[in-house]
């Protein structure tokens, strides 16, 4: 009987250790973080939000003479453009910044200047 109780105690400790080892990462994963870097792209370029400094980078990746435009919008009946960045026709990417706050939601919109559909990010805030 004493041996059985000792085995149960050891087994119980092992099970507790397993759950303790897995519970911390699960809890950390449950935290919803809104202020992280984000990127949207199409087959002509990409737009990235860099949370550290609230910067937006727009890059044209195709030398087709059209370029791409990245727009930061806030929600309205018709979304309000808060920042417009166009890239194309030169070396490197273009960038700009605005203060992303908790008081509003924002989304990124990327458009190829040669036509076609735009790509949108999800709404986010600080």
């Amino acid at each position: 009987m004493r041996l059985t109780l000792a085995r149960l105690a050891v087994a119980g400790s092992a099970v507790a250790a397993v759950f303790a080892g897995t519970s911390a990462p699960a809890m950390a994963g449950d935290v919803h973080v809104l202020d992280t870097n984000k990127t949207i792209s199409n087959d002509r370029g990409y737009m990235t939000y860099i949370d550290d400094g609230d910067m937006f980078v727009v890059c044209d990746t195709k030398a087709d003479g059209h370029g791409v435009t990245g727009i930061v919008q806030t929600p309205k009946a018709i979304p309000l453009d808060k920042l417009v960045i166009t890239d194309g026709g030169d070396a490197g990417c273009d960038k700009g910044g605005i203060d992303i706050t908790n008081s509003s939601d924002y989304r990124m919109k990327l458009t190829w200047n040669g036509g076609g559909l735009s790509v949108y990010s999800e709404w986010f805030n600080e």
Side-chain angles (χ1 to χ4, degrees), residues 9-69:
V10 169
S13 296
V15 169
V18 167
F19 282 112
T22 59
S23 66
M27 289 171 60
D30 289 343
V31 176
H32 185 63
V33 179
L34 295 175
D35 54 341
T36 58
N37 297 348
K38 299 165 184 10
T39 299
I40 58 173
S41 64
N42 59 23
D43 61 344
R44 305 289 180 174
Y46 64 90
M47 181 176 188
T48 299
Y49 165 61
I50 302 167
D51 177 51
D52 185 15
D54 290 342
M55 293 299 298
F56 293 85
V57 178
V58 176
C59 294
D60 179 14
T61 58
K62 298 282 186 189
D64 59 12
H66 292 289
V68 294
T69 299

Side-chain angles (χ1 to χ4, degrees), residues 73-91:
Q73 298 178 321
T74 56
K76 302 284 182 202
I78 299 173
L80 180 63
D81 296 349
K82 300 295 280 185
L83 177 68
V84 178
I85 306 167
T86 301
D87 185 52
D90 61 353

Side-chain angles (χ1 to χ4, degrees), residues 82-121:
K82 300 295 280 185
L83 177 68
V84 178
I85 306 167
T86 301
D87 185 52
D90 61 353
C93 301
D94 289 340
K95 64 182 178 178
I98 59 169
D99 187 25
I100 300 299
T101 66
N102 286 328
S103 62
S104 183
D105 288 329
Y106 303 84
R107 75 175 175 187
M108 297 184 292
K109 174 183 176 182
L110 181 66
T111 303
W112 176 53
N113 298 338
L117 298 176
S118 297
V119 177
Y120 296 87
S121 72

